[in-house]
């Protein structure tokens, strides 16, 4: 028996499991949705560009259209839409068949009403395909190849990092066939986020060869305190008085599986942060670490997403957006941090100090350890912008 369940907004959804493969197109209950307030097609904003030629370039902002569609559908369904397949109708008046992959691993069949602005966007997106179709007709391709369909449909695939156009039921080898063995097709084309186990395993296999939580070596607590106090005095800073941070240290160890860095404990037991220069309190360190850990653990962030745009600093660091083995202790503003690194590169060392964050495409090596870091701050070298 094929199970189609009822969900939010009285939508009938299909669970993503092996039973999905048995579902036929006629088994699916489609729900009519009118995506109102879709704006008229608009161009990308190049006004900030230095080149006058670039500023005058006209290109429709199809990526923003994607964001609008996914956001509006997510709002309507009251759950995040991870991926959307939209199939053009057989005639201009009919609705668009669509399949929405929801965050809770369910799929819903939708018929999107053929509203004017939505149709304008779709015609722009498939402009090249329609031109190619006209070329085939003018060249007599359909007379020469009777297996080809002169009136094919097209599919738009939208999702995180996805924007692609495909031919549907055209008779070509490149064809997509969502109307045949529909359940198997939907199962095969599910978003990567549905494969949590595989995604987590890929991350684990990547990071495990770098993990080293032993720290840089023996911590000279007296020396660290001296350097910290000297830095505060020279810079005329106003640190926050110390408090008991034991609960944060214990909770960190429970979640992380390793101890809160000893050198940070020494500094926090001296002063619980320095607000006017970005040294975080124990609570702030713990909260920021959790925020970055959530990104790393999220199924929305696959390994390729984490490593695709970030680069190592030689072989001292690794090129990844974030990892739970970085403990941010100093904020540089705008989502950028200085951190202790427990997952160094092959030429780096556990406990080294690095920079990472929203704007740090290069994971910058800053100092050998906390003592070295404080010494550089005291000397007044522009250590925070090292290599930037």
């Amino acid at each position: 028996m094929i199970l189609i369940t009822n969900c939010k907004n009285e939508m009938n959804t299909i669970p993503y499991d092996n039973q999905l493969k048995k579902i036929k197109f006629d088994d699916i209950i489609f729900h009519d949705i009118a995506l109102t307030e879709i704006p008229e097609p608009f161009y990308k904003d190049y006004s900030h560009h230095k080149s006058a030629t670039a500023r005058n370039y006209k290109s429709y902002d199809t990526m923003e259209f994607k964001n609008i569609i996914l956001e509006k559908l997510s709002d309507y369904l009251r759950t995040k839409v991870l991926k959307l397949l939209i199939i053009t109708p057989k005639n201009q008046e009919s609705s668009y068949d669509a399949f929405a992959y929801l965050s809770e691993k369910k799929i819903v069949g939708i018929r999107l009403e053929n509203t004017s602005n939505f149709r304008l966007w779709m015609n722009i997106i498939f402009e090249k395909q329609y031109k190619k179709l006209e070329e085939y007709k003018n060249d007599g391709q359909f007379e020469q190849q009777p297996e080809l369909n002169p009136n094919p449909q097209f599919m738009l695939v939208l999702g995180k990092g996805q924007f692609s156009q495909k031919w549907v039921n055209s008779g070509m080898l490149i064809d997509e066939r969502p109307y045949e063995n529909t359940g198997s097709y939907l199962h095969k084309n599910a978003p990567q986020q549905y494969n949590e186990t595989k995604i987590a395993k890929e991350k684990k296999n990547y990071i495990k060869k770098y993990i080293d939580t032993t720290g840089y070596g023996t911590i000279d607590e007296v020396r660290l305190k001296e350097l910290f106090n000297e830095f505060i005095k020279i810079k005329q800073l106003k640190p926050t008085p110390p408090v008991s941070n034991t609960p944060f240290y214990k909770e960190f160890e429970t979640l992380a599986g390793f101890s809160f860095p000893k050198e940070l404990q020494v500094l926090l037991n001296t002063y619980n942060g320095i607000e006017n220069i970005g040294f975080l309190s124990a609570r702030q360190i713990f909260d920021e670490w959790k925020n970055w850990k959530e990104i790393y653990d999220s199924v929305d962030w696959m390994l390729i997403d984490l490593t695709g745009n970030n680069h190592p600093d030689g072989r001292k660091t690794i090129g990844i957006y974030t990892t739970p083995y970085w403990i941010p202790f100093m904020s540089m503003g705008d989502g950028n941090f200085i951190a202790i690194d427990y997952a160094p590169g092959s030429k780096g060392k556990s406990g080294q100090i690095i920079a990472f964050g929203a704007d740090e495409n290069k994971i910058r090596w800053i100092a050998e350890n906390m003592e070295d870091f404080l010494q550089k701050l005291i000397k007044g070298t522009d250590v925070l912008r090292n290599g930037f």
Side-chain angles (χ1 to χ4, degrees), residues 238-253:
K238 295 181 180 180
T240 303
V243 297
S244 175
N245 291 312
T246 302
F248 296 117
Y249 302 155
K250 288 183 177 179
E251 190 171 356
F252 175 89
E253 185 169 354

Side-chain angles (χ1 to χ4, degrees), residues 20-86:
L20 169 62
K21 298 177 182 179
K22 301 178 181 179
I23 287 180
K24 299 177 182 178
F25 183 79
D26 291 339
D27 295 327
I28 299 172
I29 300 172
F30 284 83
H31 301 271
D32 294 328
I33 295 179
L35 289 178
T36 57
E37 301 179 2
I38 297 294
E40 293 182 2
F42 54 87
Y43 296 116
K44 294 179 182 178
D45 181 12
Y46 292 108
S47 60
H48 61 283
H49 207 284
K50 294 181 180 179
S51 166
T53 302
R55 287 197 301 271
N56 293 323
Y57 181 70
K58 301 295 184 182
S59 175
Y60 286 104
D61 198 344
T62 53
M63 291 299 106
E64 185 57 27
F65 167 74
K66 176 190 78 169
N67 295 336
I68 291 171
I69 294 298
L70 292 177
E71 181 180 343
K72 286 188 175 295
L73 265 183
S74 296
D75 289 343
Y76 184 90
L77 298 172
R78 300 179 187 174
T79 188
K80 187 175 182 180
V81 176
L82 300 177
K83 185 175 181 179
L84 182 65
L85 312 181
I86 306 175

Side-chain angles (χ1 to χ4, degrees), residues 210-251:
Y210 299 108
I211 298 170
D212 182 357
T213 59
T214 58
Y216 192 78
T218 302
I219 304 297
D220 187 338
E221 296 186 26
V222 174
R223 180 60 176 156
L224 272 181
K225 289 180 180 180
E226 288 176 351
L227 289 171
F228 200 35
N229 283 315
E230 185 178 353
F231 168 65
I232 290 168
K233 182 178 179 180
I234 289 175
K235 300 297 182 180
Q236 297 182 334
L237 303 174
K238 295 181 180 180
T240 303
V243 297
S244 175
N245 291 312
T246 302
F248 296 117
Y249 302 155
K250 288 183 177 179
E251 190 171 356

Side-chain angles (χ1 to χ4, degrees), residues 149-308:
N149 180 3
N151 297 300
Q153 296 166 264
F154 301 100
M155 178 190 295
L156 178 62
V157 182
L158 305 177
K160 182 182 178 183
Q162 288 185 297
F163 188 102
S164 60
Q165 303 100 308
K166 301 176 183 290
W167 292 68
V168 172
N169 297 337
S170 67
M172 301 181 186
L173 293 177
I174 60 172
D175 229 1
E176 298 290 315
R177 301 183 181 275
Y179 294 111
E180 301 175 15
N181 302 316
T182 301
S184 293
Y185 183 87
L186 293 175
H187 192 278
K188 179 181 177 181
N189 289 278
Q192 286 285 348
Q193 292 94 323
Y194 278 13
N195 300 312
E196 301 100 327
T197 303
K198 179 182 177 183
I199 292 170
K201 186 176 181 180
E202 286 179 344
K203 295 176 189 177
K204 182 179 180 180
N205 288 340
Y206 172 85
I207 201 69
K208 68 180 182 181
K209 57 181 175 288
Y210 299 108
I211 298 170
D212 182 357
T213 59
T214 58
Y216 192 78
T218 302
I219 304 297
D220 187 338
E221 296 186 26
V222 174
R223 180 60 176 156
L224 272 181
K225 289 180 180 180
E226 288 176 351
L227 289 171
F228 200 35
N229 283 315
E230 185 178 353
F231 168 65
I232 290 168
K233 182 178 179 180
I234 289 175
K235 300 297 182 180
Q236 297 182 334
L237 303 174
K238 295 181 180 180
T240 303
V243 297
S244 175
N245 291 312
T246 302
F248 296 117
Y249 302 155
K250 288 183 177 179
E251 190 171 356
F252 175 89
E253 185 169 354
T254 299
L255 292 177
F258 56 91
S259 299
F260 193 88
K262 182 65 176 178
E263 55 266 58
L264 284 182
Q265 292 188 45
V266 172
L267 299 185
L268 293 166
N269 290 340
T270 307
Y271 298 106
N272 193 36
I274 312 172
E275 187 173 340
N276 58 332
I277 199 171
F279 259 98
L280 304 178
S281 68
R283 174 187 285 276
Q284 290 170 328
I285 291 173
F286 182 56
D287 287 344
E288 287 297 343
W289 175 80
K290 283 197 300 182
N291 290 339
W292 287 102
K293 184 178 185 298
E294 285 179 8
I295 292 174
Y296 179 86
D297 291 339
S298 172
V299 294
D300 289 336
W301 287 81
M302 293 173 280
L303 181 61
I304 191 172
D305 299 318
L306 292 168
T307 59

